[in-house]
Amino acid sequence: MVEQHKKALEKQLWNIANALRGNMSADEFRDYILGFIFYKYLSERMHQYGDSLLAEDKLKFDSLDENTEQGAEYLEAIKEEAIDHLGYFLKPSELFHMIAEKGKNGEFIIEALTEVLNHIEQSTMGTASEDDFNGLFDDIDLTSNKLGKSEAAKNELISKVLGHLDEIDFCLDDTEIDVLGDAYEYLIGQFASGAGKKAGEFYTPPMVSKLLAKLVTKDKTQLKSVYDPTCGSGSLLLQVAKEIHSKGGKVAGYYGQEKNPSTYNLARMNMILHGVHYRSFDIQQDDTLETPHHSEKRFEAVVANPPFSASWSASAGFLTDERFADYGKLAPKGKADFAFVLHMLHQLDDNGTMAVVLPHGVLFRGAAEGHIRKALIEQKNCLDAVIGLPANIFYGTSIPTCILVLKKQRTENDNILFIDASAYCGQATNQNYLREGDLRRILDAVDKREFKEKFAYAATRKEIKEDNDFNLNISRYVDTFEEEEPINLGDISEQLKALDKDISSVDLTIRKYCSELDIEVIS
């Protein structure tokens, strides 16, 4: 039933996307749809909460008359409670269903809708939730000509979209399912290839997210905090929480930073949509390497899929930055991969685990990166595992990738585990993907930490230093070479003789036919 509902929901969302598709790019209509979904979610939460407060008086929230003295008194009291409990407030006339109904009836709703979205933000001003709601709807530009050439055309399109969404049951009363969250991820996933092709940013496939989450929550049933310095839409943070919840525990704090303002808005919406209370998350918008916002905090779990080989300033001033000072050299200006690794390691708590997706180049590139790699292994001794992933599992790129697992307090502190999982994946038309069995194989190897032919090997630090000069290329440690069967030259000679005999026989037959037809034999 849950799966059936989810499919129906996804189909309807896809239909809405199709209605908008001709007017704007995938990135843009994704932002409109997700923004409206978020508004509907806030509206239904408010409606539900208002009803619960009015239950003793046998009243319904949407039946309160805002223009009467009694109605105004009720709403003022409800607003105070809602701001404290939900972090925002909506009047009955501002509920999603009310606006959608007006649109269905042919009324002009764009102006009213713009005011409602502004009111949601304004209701949080001066409260603890202000930062979490500020600018959340900035990507919904209801005056954009992309919605239509005339005001009437824009109104018709927006009314159509709200009408479709109004028919979707968000199932807020059913605590067993997360239909809205699944749909939200579906939309992000569907349009990720259009959203993540710039500056090496690639949407993290769900199974890679799951693997990262399992790696950082291994042996843990509770988490004080989880942090993602390039959090995108926040899906990795939520995946870590899902792992902990599956063990009966909870994550106390969610922290993230995102450079892209639109994606930053999606991350905050995603937290609220998944029931994370506004007091439990702290997501900031800025460049993590240049202007970190959580420098003083340490986190029990740190995860990231940072933009591959992105550029950063690599300014000499960073040599005295506490995140990089211990290593003597900075990551190259055109390849910030190790800058992200060192930033994450700095933010990691002593008892924590971090897992980061990176391009294979970090394993063997020389110069400053070789120097940093050596310091991480020899001086810090914090690299715990290197996992090679199958090629072509990220949307929009076929670049080979790996996961580095780092801990400040390692149990197996004299070796580093290498896993070559490159051959274990499913294949779709244009994409490879990790399967549940592939994940189990990797996690089993992480648990056992022992030699497994053509798959896993725990190399000593001495071996990595003396035999490989801190080169971590996985093929140096996990031999996946498949020896070809020996060729028997005698058999090949006999096969060639047989072929010559056949050719001669065919030539004789052709000559015979040519002679019977009295035509020249072709030689």
Side-chain angles (χ1 to χ4, degrees):
M1 181 61 189
V2 172
E3 193 61 30
Q4 194 176 6
H5 190 284
K6 183 180 165 187
K7 292 284 182 192
L9 177 62
E10 290 176 352
K11 185 180 176 183
Q12 189 132 10
L13 291 172
W14 184 250
N15 289 338
I16 296 171
N18 278 334
L20 290 167
R21 191 188 294 271
N23 296 55
M24 57 190 74
S25 70
D27 286 5
E28 289 169 320
F29 70 69
R30 178 202 61 188
D31 291 341
Y32 275 94
I33 295 175
L34 295 178
F36 288 139
I37 287 177
F38 186 60
Y39 165 38
K40 180 174 165 66
Y41 175 80
L42 294 180
S43 173
E44 296 203 357
R45 285 279 309 278
M46 182 64 243
H47 194 169
Q48 194 179 52
Y49 186 64
D51 280 352
S52 69
L53 293 178
L54 292 166
E56 281 190 13
D57 295 339
K58 300 188 185 324
L59 291 172
K60 291 289 185 184
F61 181 67
D62 59 357
S63 67
L64 293 179
D65 187 344
E66 301 165 26
N67 298 313
T68 65
E69 188 178 340
Q70 186 187 35
E73 283 180 11
Y74 268 117
L75 288 175
E76 195 54 38
I78 292 170
K79 181 178 180 180
E80 193 175 329
E81 292 289 326
I83 292 293
D84 183 57
H85 185 75
L86 302 176
Y88 65 94
F89 175 70
L90 280 166
K91 292 188 286 190
S93 62
E94 296 173 330
L95 293 176
F96 186 96
H97 176 67
M98 297 291 190
I99 301 293
E101 273 299 308
K102 287 180 180 176
K104 281 181 193 171
N105 295 330
E107 293 183 40
F108 188 78
I109 60 168
I110 288 188
E111 198 172 319
L113 183 56
T114 304
E115 285 182 5
V116 170
L117 299 182
N118 287 335
H119 285 169
I120 293 173
E121 281 190 43
Q122 287 167 4
S123 73
T124 69
M125 286 184 176
T127 71
S129 61
E130 180 176 356
D131 288 347
D132 299 318
F133 283 81
N134 184 33
L136 265 182
F137 297 105
D138 282 356
D139 293 314
I140 301 181
D141 180 5
L142 297 174
T143 64
S144 171
N145 288 333
K146 292 176 180 176
L147 294 172
K149 291 182 179 176
S150 66
E151 293 303 298
K154 292 174 192 171
N155 194 63
E156 185 181 348
L157 184 60
I158 293 299
S159 297
K160 192 175 176 181
V161 171
L162 295 196
H164 280 302
L165 284 175
D166 198 35
E167 291 173 12
I168 298 173
D169 183 358
F170 280 10
C171 300
L172 291 188
D173 289 326
D174 193 334
T175 56
E176 296 299 314
I177 59 176
D178 182 19
V179 176
L180 183 60
D182 288 342
Y184 193 85
E185 286 178 12
Y186 166 80
L187 280 170
I188 291 173
Q190 284 296 318
F191 307 128
S193 57
K197 286 185 176 176
K198 294 176 184 174
E201 297 174 10
F202 299 101
Y203 172 76
T204 313
M207 289 299 277
V208 176
S209 293
K210 190 172 180 177
L211 177 57
L212 290 168
K214 284 186 177 293
L215 288 168
V216 298
T217 57
K218 187 172 174 289
D219 303 325
K220 290 183 186 290
T221 55
Q222 300 282 346
L223 269 186
K224 280 191 301 184
S225 55
V226 56
Y227 171 63
D228 182 346
T230 55
C231 68
S233 62
S235 62
L236 265 176
L237 294 172
L238 292 167
Q239 186 63 48
V240 170
K242 195 172 179 179
E243 285 301 320
I244 289 293
H245 292 163
S246 71
K247 300 176 187 177
K250 64 179 288 188
V251 177
Y254 302 71
Y255 299 83
Q257 191 162 332
E258 171 57 39
K259 186 178 179 181
N260 183 300
S262 297
T263 317
Y264 160 67
N265 288 339
L266 292 182
R268 290 183 295 163
M269 289 183 195
N270 214 0
M271 291 296 120
I272 295 169
L273 285 170
H274 282 81
V276 180
H277 196 275
Y278 69 88
R279 291 193 185 93
S280 298
F281 70 86
D282 176 6
I283 294 176
Q284 300 291 328
Q285 192 259 313
D286 227 323
D287 185 316
T288 296
L289 297 179
E290 306 291 338
T291 317
H293 281 257
H294 302 94
S295 296
E296 304 307 315
K297 290 186 168 63
R298 297 294 177 269
F299 307 102
E300 195 171 358
V302 180
V303 285
N305 174 21
F308 297 157
S309 301
S311 296
W312 71 307
S313 70
S315 164
F318 281 125
L319 283 169
T320 56
D321 187 306
E322 59 181 347
R323 295 172 295 170
F324 313 118
D326 286 354
Y327 303 88
K329 291 190 178 181
L330 297 172
K333 192 173 181 179
K335 291 184 174 60
D337 305 308
F338 269 117
F340 282 110
V341 171
L342 301 188
H343 169 86
M344 292 171 70
L345 188 60
H346 173 74
Q347 305 278 185
L348 184 67
D349 213 341
D350 287 344
N351 67 339
T353 303
M354 71 171 256
V356 54
V357 181
L358 295 162
H360 261 214
V362 301
L363 301 178
F364 53 79
R365 290 193 297 246
E369 291 177 285
H371 181 87
I372 294 170
R373 211 164 45 236
K374 178 181 176 183
L376 284 171
I377 297 166
E378 196 168 43
Q379 178 187 333
K380 299 287 185 182
N381 191 17
C382 57
L383 181 60
D384 199 56
V386 178
I387 303 169
L389 298 174
N392 200 29
I393 58 170
F394 282 84
Y395 302 107
T397 179
S398 58
I399 188 172
T401 53
C402 62
I403 293 174
L404 299 190
V405 181
L406 292 96
K407 299 175 182 177
K408 287 182 176 174
Q409 294 176 349
R410 301 204 299 137
T411 308
E412 303 287 339
N413 60 11
D414 195 40
N415 63 54
I416 295 172
L417 178 67
F418 289 83
I419 296 175
D420 185 347
S422 60
Y424 298 92
C425 62
Q427 294 182 330
T429 309
N430 298 314
Q431 204 82 44
N432 293 332
Y433 59 92
L434 289 174
R435 301 159 296 193
E436 286 291 345
D438 302 323
L439 246 64
R440 283 198 297 274
R441 175 182 278 266
I442 293 170
L443 294 167
D444 183 59
V446 170
D447 279 341
K448 291 178 178 168
R449 214 174 174 86
E450 60 188 20
F451 173 71
K452 188 169 184 179
E453 191 173 4
K454 300 185 189 305
F455 190 70
Y457 177 69
T460 64
R461 292 169 66 213
K462 183 180 178 186
E463 183 180 352
I464 293 167
K465 176 183 178 181
E466 295 182 0
D467 300 345
N468 295 284
D469 194 23
F470 300 101
N471 185 322
L472 301 178
N473 205 351
I474 298 169
S475 60
R476 286 176 175 248
Y477 307 94
V478 181
D479 183 4
T480 56
F481 180 72
E482 293 285 351
E483 194 169 331
E484 294 182 7
E485 288 186 15
I487 297 172
N488 187 322
L489 292 177
D491 289 345
I492 297 296
S493 176
E494 290 303 317
Q495 289 173 20
L496 287 173
K497 286 177 186 174
L499 276 173
D500 282 341
K501 192 174 176 182
D502 289 345
I503 291 170
S504 298
S505 174
V506 171
D507 284 346
L508 279 173
T509 304
I510 291 172
R511 284 197 184 91
K512 181 183 172 189
Y513 287 149
C514 287
S515 176
E516 289 173 2
L517 295 170
D518 196 22
I519 59 175
E520 185 180 353
V521 176
I522 301 170
S523 59

